[in-house]
Amino acid sequence: MTSSPRPPHVGGRPDPTGGTPALGGEPARGYLLDNARAEAGERFVWLAELFDGVTRGHFDRLGVGPGSRCWEVGAGGRSVPEALAAAVGPTGYVLATDLDPSWLEAGGGYEVRRHDVAADPPPEPGTFDLVHARLVLVHVPDRARALATMAAALRPGGWLLVEDADTALQPLACLDDSGPAQRRANRLRDAVRELLARRGADLRYGRTLPRALRETGLVDVAASGSFPVGGPACDRLEAATIRHVRGELLAAGLADDAEIDAHLAAIHAGELDLTLAPLISAWGRRPADHPPALG
């Protein structure tokens, strides 16, 4: 069910930061992998290649189909909103929101809005058959508030599906730590994890999702995991990520140019079997007689 990735939209978005840290050598605050840089478009393509099949399988099992109303939270790129729009058809409705929705396409079969899931009220509360977020909440400081907002948007019987990484569960870039290039890849993965932690990311968040959904008031909670190991999509995602955060790695003293260049060259040469942290998918249903509290 995974479609072939389209070429990254690297020509469609400017890079206003140029990948450099703030003046004075201090790293910028906020989301480390923000949408403002061209590498974000590349990351969306390869994340779609790796995980859209998993996500669409969950949509099918949770009953998304013609006429369904769906809210895609922190959509980032276009692939998931487009998949939802195709599934719900002309009688359904898909809302795609993001803090920076500039990679989304208005008129692509879904509505686009700028929205902060941890600060703004839920759009059209109590009306959605499905609310979904993938690789979003791990980066949101007030995760409980965000989950409550998402749950409040569900109609009675509607499903909340949250998919997030657990990078502490599997922290390595190369499981086969067999040589200098592999050990360098693992050191750089540790450095990126350090940057994420400094920005407030919870690197153990994925494993907490079933409990978090129950605490939000949802029922019929279950979860599963997906763990891609190796292949071109993992390679290209790694390269785009390293280029995205290169300035922050250098500013923080967590890597130098020679190390980063050598790692990118090893990826390009196909020398590494790169992998990712497990993606934990958890889902729960809003009960008919007990709406979740927003607070």
Side-chain angles (χ1 to χ4, degrees):
M1 297 182 66
T2 304
S3 60
S4 298
R6 294 171 295 181
H9 309 290
V10 294
R13 286 285 278 111
D15 181 356
T17 67
T20 57
L23 293 176
E26 292 296 325
R29 296 181 179 180
Y31 178 36
L32 179 66
L33 298 167
D34 63 77
N35 291 1
R37 302 185 186 181
E39 291 86 357
E42 297 179 63
R43 285 177 42 78
F44 296 151
V45 168
W46 303 116
L47 286 169
E49 176 71 5
L50 289 163
F51 293 125
D52 273 12
V54 174
T55 297
R56 292 180 188 180
H58 293 312
F59 291 163
D60 290 344
R61 188 177 61 258
L62 297 178
V64 175
S68 295
R69 290 177 51 84
C70 305
W71 176 22
E72 178 65 14
V73 178
R78 304 172 185 175
S79 68
V80 174
E82 287 177 351
L84 285 170
V88 307
T91 61
Y93 170 69
V94 175
L95 173 64
T97 63
D98 203 296
L99 281 171
D100 177 1
S102 54
W103 291 95
L104 299 170
E105 182 178 12
Y110 51 89
E111 182 181 351
V112 177
R113 296 186 200 173
R114 189 180 302 273
H115 184 268
D116 183 344
V117 70
D120 298 333
E124 304 172 35
T127 67
F128 288 98
D129 299 289
L130 175 84
V131 177
H132 172 249
R134 186 176 73 191
L135 299 172
V136 173
L137 296 190
V138 66
H139 303 288
V140 174
D142 195 347
R143 298 171 188 92
R145 174 72 182 184
L147 274 176
T149 297
M150 295 162 69
L154 294 169
R155 67 163 179 80
W159 290 93
L160 175 59
L161 170 63
V162 181
E163 302 181 282
D164 247 310
D166 192 316
T167 60
L169 189 63
Q170 194 301 98
L172 299 177
C174 292
L175 298 174
D176 182 15
D177 194 1
S178 57
Q182 289 75 21
R183 289 189 284 274
R184 180 177 56 236
N186 286 337
R187 288 196 303 272
L188 285 171
R189 181 65 59 86
D190 285 344
V192 174
R193 292 173 64 237
E194 174 64 21
L195 288 177
L196 288 167
R198 292 181 185 183
R199 300 294 184 102
D202 182 351
L203 303 182
R204 301 168 58 89
Y205 185 60
R207 73 191 71 181
T208 72
L209 283 172
R211 172 173 52 84
L213 294 186
R214 288 193 301 271
E215 291 175 350
T216 306
L218 303 182
V219 298
D220 298 332
V221 172
S224 65
S226 177
F227 185 30
V229 179
C234 285
D235 291 350
R236 291 165 183 168
L237 177 62
E238 173 75 1
T241 301
I242 291 297
R243 293 197 310 271
H244 194 142
V245 302
R246 181 174 190 138
E248 286 79 3
L249 289 169
L250 296 172
L254 294 170
D256 58 34
D257 278 317
E259 188 174 25
I260 293 172
D261 288 342
H263 180 51
L264 292 172
I267 296 170
H268 181 72
E271 298 175 1
L272 305 174
D273 296 306
L274 292 162
T275 186
L276 300 176
L279 181 75
I280 309 298
S281 304
W283 54 91
R285 180 176 58 84
R286 174 177 170 175
D289 56 351
H290 183 64
L294 179 60

